[in-house]
Amino acid sequence: MTERKRLLQLALPAMAENILQMLMGMVDTYLVAQISLITVSGVSVANNILTIYQAVFIALGASAASLIAKSLGQKDSRQTERLIWDTLVMTLVLSGILGIFSILCGRWLLALLGTELTVSQTGGLYLAIVGGGIGFLGLMTTLGSILRAKGKPNLSMKVSLIANILNAIISALAVFVFHWGMVGVAAATVFSRLVGCLILWRALALDVKSVTLTRPFNKDLCSLVLPAAGERLMMRAGDVVIVAIIVRFGTEVVAGNAIGETLTQFNYMPGMGVATATVISIAHSLGSGDFQTTQRLAREAYWLSLWMMLPIGLLTFAFGGGLTHLYTDNSGAVAASMVVLLYSFIGTPVTAGTLVYTAVWQGLGQAKLPFYATTFGMWVIRIFLGYILGISFNLGLAGVWIATVVDNLFRTIFLYIRYKLFFKNDLFQS
């Protein structure tokens, strides 16, 4: 099997699953947009917090998939079973902490970001409901990652499809028939994820009576999860600060930026799918000791990601005006959305590089380097430069997105250079 086929076999179902997950958020955004601009602004800000949670679970799932794939490559079934249970326990602990935080501190956190009172109240309630049930998203992410690592990527994709259909139906009924508003949309999201968890759990067929855990904790898993989760956390926490900058431009710009980001999520889906496949494929080849295949996989992953992302980004930008009008007719919000679509397309080559080479390092079991790169890129380049360009130089939302492209350019170059040096020196000296 060629490297491209191997990547596509894992990437296409992962891509479809990511698209379906994003569709759930897109459906929620569309439905709450029918209620009011304040509601869509509150939900969009709350979703930036929820995206941080999701990023942590994605990092956990990717790290676990990497270690599981490596143990499968080494044909160590006992270690594989132990890793699965360790990951599930870690998911439940994280879910509990994040859920309690969402319920108790959600409204306060949104107010801290500088949103208007009505926006923080609406978003805080949405965060309490969806964030309170975040454990179902966490389990769906973890169980899906385990299935992909075990060579069953299609199953997780099918469950995501079921959950999305269920969410769309119940959310639409909640808004248009029962008039439950934003609360009904949030409750539908939590319920559909619960159903998805139950199906995935049953499909994985784990025997609870034979639980094997690493005591006091799995050091290998933590050494990979913590920097990987830290990388995602720095990224998403930085996004929240970026939103705090965008809030200064007004509610219309906040709403337009949220709509634009909702639409451009489809641009990133191929890259995210290939990144998921890259982590698993590289970890498996590394476990088998096939270093030449590892290098070919990394090279193929970048070009595959880029050529899949470019046409989607172009289509999204070309039809962006019409798509944005599905959410709102507000001229300020539409203009802001088009700014997001433009710079998302321009930055496609470096976004693909950031996604793929972050995944390469995680597959190699070296998650600290992407953490350092993201922390510096986000908090020194993107936030600082975004503030300077957006506010000091009066470029507004365009300034923030120029800084985003520059950040991704830095991280792509840095991670690629270190990757070349790793295979030239570090790997063969270890």
Side-chain angles (χ1 to χ4, degrees), residues 135-156:
F136 301 130
L137 174 62
L139 284 173
M140 277 190 71
T141 304
T142 295
L143 292 170
S145 297
I146 293 170
L147 287 167
R148 280 193 293 271
K150 296 184 77 171
K152 300 177 180 178
N154 291 326
L155 184 57
S156 181

Side-chain angles (χ1 to χ4, degrees), residues 44 136 152 154 232 241 276 311 313 346 373 381 384-385 392 398 417:
S44 70
F136 301 130
K152 300 177 180 178
N154 291 326
R232 300 273 181 166
V241 177
T276 299
I346 292 174
I381 297 177
F384 177 74
L385 185 61
S392 300
I417 291 174

Side-chain angles (χ1 to χ4, degrees), residues 92-114:
L92 291 172
V93 171
L94 281 172
S95 298
I97 295 171
L98 295 175
I100 292 171
F101 176 80
S102 299
I103 294 171
L104 298 180
C105 306
R107 187 175 298 180
W108 167 80
L109 183 59
L110 267 64
L112 189 65
L113 293 175

Side-chain angles (χ1 to χ4, degrees), residues 226-235 358 362 370-371 374 411:
L226 291 178
E231 188 267 335
R232 300 273 181 166
L233 187 61
M234 287 297 101
M235 186 70 187
T358 296
Q362 290 173 348
F371 168 70
T374 297
R411 282 191 283 153

Side-chain angles (χ1 to χ4, degrees), residues 294-344:
T294 301
Q295 295 180 75
R296 288 197 300 269
L297 281 166
R299 183 170 57 252
E300 186 66 46
Y302 174 75
W303 290 110
L304 185 62
S305 176
L306 177 60
W307 295 123
M308 293 173 73
M309 289 174 67
L310 277 173
I312 297 177
L314 179 59
L315 287 172
T316 305
F317 176 67
F319 296 100
L323 292 170
T324 302
H325 275 96
L326 293 175
Y327 293 89
T328 181
D329 291 325
N330 184 283
S331 60
V334 172
S337 176
M338 291 305 298
V339 169
V340 177
L341 297 178
L342 173 62
Y343 285 101
S344 175

